[in-house]
Amino acid sequence: MLAIEEWKKSSNSVIEMMGTKMMEKFQVYWSGVRDMMGVAAVLDPTKKMVVLDFWFPKLYGRDS
């Protein structure tokens, strides 16, 4: 994701456009995967709620 952000800042318009399109696709993909990973983390007996307690506020804000 960091590489894509750098491509979006490129002075080359082709690379900038490619980075923008890639980031849009990445966001669409990640929005679906994020929820599935949360469910998998809860169901994993070694992780339980620790993972969600850590990531949920980072993804959705402290007030969520």
Side-chain angles (χ1 to χ4, degrees):
M1 184 165 136
L2 294 176
I4 298 173
E5 287 294 336
E6 290 297 318
W7 294 343
K8 287 174 53 178
K9 298 175 189 174
S10 175
S11 60
N12 184 325
S13 62
V14 174
I15 293 176
E16 179 187 1
M17 184 177 61
M18 181 178 65
T20 301
K21 287 184 180 183
M22 288 178 75
M23 185 56 77
E24 290 171 3
K25 289 181 181 183
F26 179 81
Q27 294 296 343
V28 169
Y29 169 77
W30 184 246
S31 67
V33 172
R34 174 178 56 210
D35 297 333
M36 289 186 291
M37 289 178 62
V39 171
V42 171
L43 295 176
D44 185 348
T46 62
K47 304 289 187 277
K48 291 289 182 189
M49 295 295 290
V50 174
V51 174
L52 285 181
D53 288 339
F54 177 79
W55 283 109
F56 198 86
K58 293 183 184 322
L59 293 171
Y60 300 108
R62 292 184 180 266
D63 297 330
S64 58

